[in-house]
Amino acid sequence: MGRRPLSPELARQVADRTMAVLRHNVNVMDSDGVILASGDGDRIGGVHEGALLAAQQQRVVEIGSEETGALRGVQPGVNVPIRSRGELIGVIGITGDPAEVRVLGDLIRVTAELMVDQAHAAEQQHWRRHEREEFVAQAATGAVERRDLAPWAASLGIDLDVARLSVVVVPTGTGEGMGGLGELHRSLAGIRGVLVGRTSPRELVLFSTAHRAERLPISVSEPLSDRRETIRYAVGRAFSGELAFERGYLTALDVLAVGRLIREDTSAYTFDDLPLLALLSGLRQDWRAELVAEPWHRLEASDPTGELRATFQAYVRHRASPTATANALHVHRNTVRYRLGRIGEITGLQLDRLPHVMWLYLGPVVATGGDIGG
């Protein structure tokens, strides 16, 4: 990287910290001699010719009372060049009799250079983290050209051969959860083994080298206890290779879509709990999905109150037992049998046959905009 300019904010920090220790006025100038920070605010913005000379000749310049008339914008003191990574970036000066403050020259130079290097290192870390987050978001959404994926990952120190578990996090409501999403984003940044990105203002995706949900750096197992819960998680599958981020993200999205439909009482869903449904959810844009969804659409059209769909869902939850379904719905067993018969007439399916039950069950999962209703 080339020389980084000394910012006024960083110059002010250097001046404030050194003055707090030395109890002398300190000026911080850029490489052109312009005063960026000073204990004497009236001097800020002026050109310090002594500092300019120190920068141009890259040496310590001492100014006694006799030289103050020959140089513009100066007072007695010592001006010391400061460097970052071997390159001159400015000058720091301490006001006073050179014979008294000369011994402090190396102290203020070392202090200033340490502060500058620390600030630049923090800035580099910030931008590297930002670029890694940008990579995660683009790789997850398939926005990176295949030929560019591996080189970009390598430049960021991301090993594509390492399997990573995917998680998608979203707020539950229109305005809810946004603060929690941002807080979670900040808390995850910098955690070892975790890569995080923002795929949209309302969606966070992370990839962790932890291969099981219980080892993730966030809770993905606690149920929604009340309306204060504002964030939902969906855990996909662990993948490695060039398509790992895209496939992991897609499986997590499918888990989220299915989980919202059939497990509304929880705030977390995992691929291991819903493997078949999550995989089939990815067929939503395929013409075959419409064939799977046809019986469900017929049932929707003939069930305006949702009573038949609720009965079917209870029937599935209670392992196709009419008796257990009746008990759960607080109706007579014959009522359940009647409703199942009506469902069969409407859909053309036989609900005493497991393949037909599965066919109807999968309908809302693959149907675009489907509602499983249970």
Side-chain angles (χ1 to χ4, degrees):
M1 296 181 65
R3 184 176 65 184
R4 303 191 68 112
L6 187 62
S7 70
E9 174 61 24
L10 181 54
R12 185 189 61 77
Q13 293 176 17
V14 170
D16 288 348
R17 183 172 298 184
T18 51
M19 283 190 296
V21 175
L22 301 179
R23 297 183 180 178
H24 283 270
N25 180 58
V26 170
N27 305 310
V28 181
M29 286 70 66
D30 64 15
S31 57
D32 294 321
V34 177
I35 300 176
L36 301 177
S38 173
D40 181 356
D42 292 337
R43 301 184 68 185
I44 295 175
V47 175
H48 191 298
E49 290 189 349
L52 180 59
L53 184 63
Q56 289 174 340
Q57 298 183 1
Q58 298 199 30
R59 64 178 180 86
V60 176
V61 172
E62 295 185 358
I63 300 174
S65 56
E66 62 277 9
E67 284 94 14
T68 56
L71 296 172
R72 182 166 54 95
V74 303
Q75 292 181 3
V78 175
N79 298 279
V80 184
I82 53 177
R83 294 173 173 82
S84 177
R85 297 189 174 186
E87 294 188 0
L88 184 137
I89 59 169
V91 177
I92 186 166
I94 180 168
T95 304
D97 185 343
E100 296 178 4
V101 300
R102 181 181 300 124
V103 69
L104 302 175
D106 279 343
L107 175 62
I108 62 172
R109 177 187 60 79
V110 170
T111 300
E113 290 179 349
L114 282 174
M115 290 184 65
V116 169
D117 287 345
Q118 288 173 355
H120 287 171
E123 184 181 4
Q124 287 180 340
Q125 183 179 18
H126 168 77
W127 283 108
R128 184 173 178 82
R129 182 180 299 165
H130 175 77
E131 189 171 0
R132 284 165 73 94
E133 291 185 1
E134 184 66 19
F135 170 84
V136 168
Q138 292 199 31
T141 56
V144 185
E145 291 287 342
R146 185 77 174 270
R147 64 177 180 274
D148 298 330
L149 194 62
W152 190 7
S155 71
L156 297 172
I158 297 174
D159 188 350
L160 296 179
D161 291 330
V162 174
R164 293 178 173 86
L165 192 62
S166 57
V167 184
V168 167
V169 188
V170 296
T172 57
T174 302
E176 299 174 336
M178 296 302 290
L181 204 62
E183 181 180 348
L184 178 62
H185 190 173
R186 289 188 292 272
S187 69
L188 291 171
I191 293 182
R192 186 179 180 84
V194 174
L195 294 171
V196 62
R198 206 70 175 260
T199 48
S200 78
R202 295 179 51 81
E203 184 177 274
L204 192 68
V205 61
L206 68 98
F207 295 86
S208 172
T209 52
H211 291 171
R212 296 206 311 231
E214 60 268 22
R215 294 182 179 176
L216 288 168
I218 57 175
S219 172
V220 293
S221 59
E222 296 179 2
L224 283 168
S225 57
D226 54 46
R227 290 298 177 182
R228 289 177 295 178
E229 286 283 357
T230 58
I231 290 178
R232 295 187 187 274
Y233 308 92
V235 182
R237 277 289 304 273
F239 292 95
S240 62
E242 290 186 347
L243 296 178
F245 289 90
E246 186 174 358
R247 289 177 175 173
Y249 174 62
L250 289 176
T251 58
L253 284 182
D254 289 340
V255 170
L256 180 64
V258 172
R260 280 170 159 171
L261 289 174
I262 68 175
R263 296 182 59 183
E264 293 182 350
D265 60 331
T266 63
S267 60
Y269 323 107
T270 68
F271 182 88
D272 290 340
D273 292 337
L274 306 162
L276 178 61
L277 298 181
L279 289 174
L280 290 176
S281 177
L283 295 175
R284 290 187 179 198
Q285 305 304 320
D286 191 284
W287 64 268
R288 285 164 289 197
E290 285 303 310
L291 296 183
V292 176
E294 276 183 357
W296 183 262
H297 287 322
R298 286 197 292 268
L299 182 59
E300 281 183 314
S302 301
D303 183 33
T305 66
E307 182 180 76
L308 297 180
R309 282 168 288 168
T311 299
F312 174 72
Q313 291 302 321
Y315 183 66
V316 172
R317 283 196 298 269
H318 293 88
R319 301 182 180 182
S321 168
T323 300
T325 303
N327 292 336
L329 296 177
H330 307 292
V331 298
H332 195 275
R333 187 167 180 268
N334 288 340
T335 301
V336 170
R337 289 189 176 278
Y338 168 76
R339 292 177 183 174
L340 293 176
R342 282 286 300 136
I343 293 172
E345 292 173 4
I346 294 168
T347 62
L349 301 177
Q350 300 174 34
L351 298 188
D352 56 351
R353 297 178 58 188
L354 181 58
H356 285 205
V357 172
M358 287 298 297
W359 188 354
L360 188 58
Y361 180 66
L362 295 175
V365 173
V366 299
T368 302
D371 181 2
I372 205 161

